[in-house]
Amino acid sequence: MHTSQRLATTLGLALCALAPPVTAQTMVDPVSLLNDVRYLSSDSLGGRLIGTPGADSAAAYLARRFKRSGLRPAPQGWFQSFTVSLSDPAAVRAGIAGREGENVVGVLPGHDSRLRNEIVIVGAHYDHLGTGKFGALDPDSAGIVHNGADDNASGSSALIHIARKLHQNPPARTVVFIAFSGEEAGLLGSDYYVKNPIFPLARTYAMVNMDMVGRLRNDRLLVYGVSTAKEFPGLLDSLNNEARFDLKATGDGWGRSDQSSFYAVGLPVLHIFTDLHEDYHRTTDDWEKINADGLAKVADFTAAIVRTLADRREPLTFVNVPPPVLSASSASSASGYGAYLGTVPDMADRARGVRLTGVRAGSPAEKAGLKGNDIIVQIGDAPVADLQSMTNALRAHQPGDVVEIRILRDGVEQKVTVTLGTRASS
Ligand SMILES: [Zn+2]
């Protein structure tokens, strides 16, 4: 691409010649990785809802695969069990209150006699929506298995292959691999872990989360949480000199997934993400749509991030940002509250307004002629600065309301008239 990158690549090659063999040259195998995704997202696991036999089978499978990759169990074993609260209203609504969930935990001991007492966590949730009785964006499909191939058989499968890769040449710090349960019901597994840490949080260096990493398109990779440590932007930039993603590294640690539990207790975090798509939280999130080569490439990149963190001698400088009133996690389900518009917001874009990556088929947004790349700047009387103000604007309306929406299309402001709907009518 640019001259500076060519120079860096040349330097990178020169450095590789000095590095010990094995390490960077062993790439994650896309075929084997896709096999894991296929199993975890097969109908036989029933959508991996926490507390169901399908989720238990997924957990047992992950523990076996962790073992085959050279990991050791945590001191109390491969599984960290927890019970979903009986009083959590969200859990009651989802029909999972009182059920047992389990995080799967594997350990790769560090090689450095001093630094091995510190850990780097790499995590990914393996649970999904079951048969879609909660959390689904296609409620008409309740009762049908939601396989969650991208969300998040992709990330939990990548854990196995990152473990195998790092095991060939373990870094200085201990790396702890955690496949979380209960993410879809409100980050339950990661929340339980930070309240009941197996390894002291004070000796935890950083947490790297993969959630939805199987749909790489045009090499566009999002990394959230880069502002949680001062060193992260530079570190990611230099790793990307070799990987050459179209990298969008932004944001604090208050994201939509398990990294947020770790940021809340004061740890630097990263969330690796290949972005939303039309199949998100729908029955169509299937393994056939996984970009296996892209997923392997993301796994290689994540392994490089984890290795770099686990080998780093200096501390990271944690950056604290207070939690938002409404986190980005609410924004993705914004259309589940108030009136329904049916847009797919671009989570990476932080410009004025809300840029769309697309609109849902048959949605009010589609009927009104909205399309990908449109930037919503006003809904009714409410200016839209970001996802949060868009959520608030939609909540202020009822299904059936006719509202004027102002958009920027190719830099020109236009107005469209939309009849807002309800979820069920979509
Ligand atoms: Zn999800």
Side-chain angles (χ1 to χ4, degrees), residues 17 45 127 150 213 258-259 289 334:
L45 295 195
D127 67 298
D150 185 33
V213 288
D258 293 309
Q259 78 278 1
K289 293 181 178 172

Side-chain angles (χ1 to χ4, degrees), residues 344-360:
V344 181
D346 181 344
M347 304 302 284
D349 203 284
R350 292 291 184 272
R352 173 199 172 201
V354 171
R355 182 189 294 274
L356 308 182
T357 54
V359 294
R360 298 189 188 284

Side-chain angles (χ1 to χ4, degrees), residues 115-267:
L115 288 181
R116 71 159 63 115
N117 296 315
E118 296 180 1
I119 67 159
V120 172
I121 295 175
V122 52
H125 78 87
Y126 69 90
D127 67 298
H128 193 54
L129 303 174
T131 50
K133 297 199 174 80
F134 80 100
L137 287 172
D138 48 1
D140 295 344
S141 72
I144 301 173
V145 176
H146 287 59
N147 286 318
D150 185 33
D151 185 10
N152 187 28
S154 66
S156 43
S157 298
L159 287 178
I160 297 164
H161 295 264
I162 292 169
R164 178 181 295 168
K165 184 167 173 153
L166 296 184
H167 177 256
Q168 292 167 354
N169 181 18
R173 286 187 182 79
T174 296
V175 180
V176 177
F177 294 77
I178 311 181
F180 295 105
S181 190
E183 190 271 351
E184 300 287 9
L187 315 183
L188 302 181
S190 54
D191 182 64
Y192 184 82
Y193 180 89
V194 299
K195 287 171 181 155
N196 305 272
I198 295 173
F199 301 90
L201 295 176
R203 286 198 258 121
T204 303
Y205 188 75
M207 190 271 183
V208 180
N209 182 35
M210 292 177 288
D211 191 357
M212 298 177 67
V213 288
R215 296 282 192 107
L216 190 70
R217 284 150 289 175
N218 303 317
D219 277 337
R220 186 165 177 273
L221 184 66
L222 313 185
V223 181
Y224 291 132
V226 280
S227 63
T228 64
K230 283 200 174 129
E231 296 79 5
F232 276 163
L235 193 147
L236 283 167
D237 268 359
S238 64
L239 288 172
N240 195 41
N241 279 331
E242 198 181 330
R244 296 182 165 227
F245 285 102
D246 174 13
L247 190 68
K248 303 273 184 271
T250 54
D252 60 36
W254 299 112
R256 38 193 288 108
S257 184
D258 293 309
Q259 78 278 1
S260 164
S261 300
F262 289 83
Y263 188 59
V265 294
L267 290 171

Side-chain angles (χ1 to χ4, degrees), residues 358-412:
V359 294
R360 298 189 188 284
S363 66
E366 187 190 59
K367 286 173 190 157
L370 291 173
K371 55 188 189 182
N373 277 328
D374 285 348
I375 300 170
I376 294 184
V377 294
Q378 186 161 336
I379 295 177
D381 296 331
V384 170
D386 51 24
L387 280 166
Q388 185 176 332
S389 49
M390 180 163 159
T391 305
N392 294 342
L394 286 172
R395 279 182 179 166
H397 286 282
Q398 299 294 321
D401 283 2
V402 177
V403 294
E404 201 172 83
I405 294 184
R406 285 175 182 271
I407 59 167
L408 288 172
R409 180 175 290 170
D410 302 324
V412 181

